[in-house]
Amino acid sequence: MNDKETDVFFMKKALRLAKKGRSWTSPNPMVGAIIVKNNKIIGQGYHRQYGQAHAEIEALKSVTLDVAGDTMYVTLEPCCHTGKTPPCVEALIQAKIKKVVCAHLDPNPSVAGKGIDTLRRHGIHVKTDVLKKEAMNLNEHFITYHTKKRPFIAVKFACSLDGKIATSTGDSKWITNEKARSYARKLRSNYQAILVGKNTVLQDNPHLGCRDSSYKDPIRIVLDSRLTISFDYKIYRDNNVIVATTQKASRKKLGELQERGIKVLIFGAHLIPMEELVSKLGNLNIISVFVEGGSEVIGSFIDKKLVDKAYIFQAPILIGGDMSTNAIGGKGVEKVVDAIRLHDIKYKKFDDDLLTSGYIGTRSGNFF
């Protein structure tokens, strides 16, 4: 293999390692690292969980040989600041790593090129932009958070061919088949938080978890402007919940939520303003939100141009009816020419059901 092929070969392995941290590393990125001596892997590691050692440190710890003069492949620029853990660049310098190949720069202003500069000042050769697009796709939530200064937001819904998510009586179980629903539950593991409105909770009593112990359940965010949801609903099975409400809410219920250790965000308006909500979630270091409903909630996010990605599951059925529930509420667009068009579209079939996923607007600032 030539040098380019070698770099791609080892970076692919580092990316596969990084994916093992899915659902556990937020608000940090997923990162994998590999140490290579004479074109053979002698050490590897990945960022396992937020607050634990970074990938570079894990890789160094895994090695029994002297790594002086060796090469490290890492999927993100090594950090140069002290956060939950010490700076990785210092460990690389002390270990006398000779060369670092990284996929792309860190968008976090605390790093953003400073890590690479530090390595170069200490005589370490640095090469960047190896499988850059693939690495940035992996951490699109982290990148969006630091470039757009808000969480990456995806919406998901399951509908009939005529765009209905429930009948006129509110019945919605089940529009899509079990394979599609199982896949939708797995999607939750990609996101740090999952968000629904009050009506979705009252009508469906959803679990909102991954139902897979391999992944960390997302934080459940519930919009309940008057705190009318009782504690016997599944969303309150533990305190991994954030409740967004207004000053119209019951003082007694507010006290009960706080006693249970549940975070409450209180807004002054009669309705919860989406822009302000997203800003507050960002202040809580939430880098990604998976919006599952209902219709008006999804419509509100779309109307405010806050959505980055959409997952649309469709079943080959027709529900019809003026009073049945449309998949997307809100104001919508006035002219077809202004309709939101998805890009980078992917399709996936689940027997007769179809998932269409794609991005809305620009992806992660100037990084894509």
Side-chain angles (χ1 to χ4, degrees):
M1 292 188 293
N2 59 36
D3 289 348
K4 182 177 180 181
E5 291 171 336
T6 298
D7 289 343
V8 168
F9 175 81
F10 288 119
M11 190 61 76
K12 282 183 177 179
K13 290 185 175 295
L15 284 168
R16 282 197 290 272
L17 274 174
K19 292 176 184 177
K20 291 185 175 183
R22 186 174 70 157
S23 89
W24 294 101
T25 64
S26 291
N28 283 352
M30 292 174 277
V31 182
I34 286 175
I35 300 174
V36 175
K37 181 190 289 288
N38 299 325
N39 282 331
K40 291 184 179 180
I41 296 173
I42 62 168
Q44 60 184 28
Y46 67 96
H47 186 31
R48 296 174 181 271
Q49 188 170 342
Y50 176 68
Q52 294 186 7
H54 288 186
E56 299 93 322
I57 307 303
E58 287 283 310
L60 289 170
K61 285 164 51 179
S62 74
V63 180
T64 56
L65 303 173
D66 182 8
V67 299
D70 294 341
T71 298
M72 175 175 282
Y73 290 84
V74 60
T75 59
L76 182 68
E77 176 184 9
C79 67
C80 56
H81 68 293
T82 300
K84 291 284 185 180
T85 59
C88 291
V89 292
E90 291 185 7
L92 298 180
I93 293 165
Q94 291 173 7
K96 297 183 179 179
I97 289 287
K98 182 179 180 180
K99 180 180 178 181
V100 172
V101 180
C102 72
H104 64 90
L105 302 186
D106 191 328
N108 184 344
S110 298
V111 185
K114 300 182 185 74
I116 284 175
D117 289 344
T118 301
L119 293 174
R120 285 173 173 160
R121 285 201 308 271
H122 285 81
I124 296 174
H125 177 62
V126 180
K127 183 177 181 179
T128 63
D129 297 344
V130 175
L131 296 186
K132 177 180 179 180
K133 183 176 181 180
E134 291 84 348
M136 298 185 77
N137 283 340
L138 179 66
N139 281 311
E140 61 186 2
H141 303 167
F142 177 76
I143 293 168
T144 295
Y145 179 76
H146 285 288
T147 57
K148 293 187 176 180
K149 310 303 180 185
R150 65 159 175 80
F152 182 99
I153 298 173
V155 297
K156 167 258 168 183
F157 56 86
C159 65
S160 61
L161 287 179
D162 53 340
K164 306 293 185 179
I165 61 172
T167 67
S168 58
T169 63
D171 180 47
S172 61
K173 295 183 178 178
W174 295 105
I175 288 177
T176 51
N177 61 37
E178 173 56 32
K179 288 182 180 179
R181 297 198 303 275
S182 176
Y183 186 82
R185 287 192 293 271
K186 289 178 181 177
L187 284 175
R188 293 170 179 170
S189 67
N190 292 328
Y191 292 83
Q192 188 180 357
I194 183 169
L195 184 149
V196 294
K198 173 194 68 177
N199 290 338
T200 296
V201 174
L202 295 177
Q203 290 170 9
D204 299 336
N205 192 19
H207 182 272
L208 300 182
C210 299
R211 299 181 186 266
D212 184 341
S213 59
S214 301
Y215 302 112
K216 183 179 180 181
D217 272 354
I219 301 165
R220 302 182 295 280
I221 302 171
V222 184
L223 312 186
D224 188 358
S225 59
R226 292 179 179 268
L227 296 183
T228 55
I229 302 171
S230 62
F231 287 117
D232 56 353
Y233 281 81
K234 294 175 185 175
I235 59 159
Y236 287 131
R237 64 185 179 275
D238 55 39
N239 65 357
N240 188 37
V241 187
I242 296 173
V243 179
T245 190
T246 69
Q247 292 182 351
K248 300 286 185 180
S250 159
R251 298 293 111 181
K252 178 183 176 183
K253 189 68 173 287
L254 277 172
E256 291 173 340
L257 287 168
Q258 290 164 352
E259 286 176 6
R260 289 170 178 253
I262 293 172
K263 180 74 176 177
V264 182
L265 303 178
I266 303 174
F267 298 88
H270 175 66
L271 296 175
I272 297 166
M274 293 305 173
E275 300 101 325
E276 191 176 347
L277 170 65
V278 168
S279 176
K280 287 193 175 186
L281 293 177
N283 291 339
L284 293 174
N285 287 328
I286 292 176
I287 68 170
S288 64
V289 180
F290 193 55
V291 181
E292 282 210 7
S295 172
E296 290 302 319
V297 171
I298 290 174
S300 295
F301 275 96
I302 291 176
D303 284 345
K304 297 298 183 181
K305 295 181 171 54
L306 293 169
V307 178
D308 299 289
K309 191 171 187 178
Y311 299 90
I312 303 159
F313 292 83
Q314 285 181 299
I317 61 174
L318 300 173
I319 292 176
D322 291 337
M323 301 304 292
S324 55
T325 308
N326 292 319
I328 302 175
K331 294 180 180 179
V333 299
E334 294 182 357
K335 297 179 179 180
V336 173
V337 71
D338 296 323
I340 296 167
R341 183 175 295 275
L342 302 185
H343 58 88
D344 295 341
I345 298 169
K346 293 182 179 179
Y347 301 98
K348 189 174 182 67
K349 290 200 71 176
F350 305 92
D351 293 334
D352 290 336
D353 292 352
L354 178 68
L355 166 62
T356 302
S357 62
Y359 293 88
I360 297 174
T362 57
R363 295 177 65 184
S364 305
N366 296 323
F367 274 76
F368 283 89

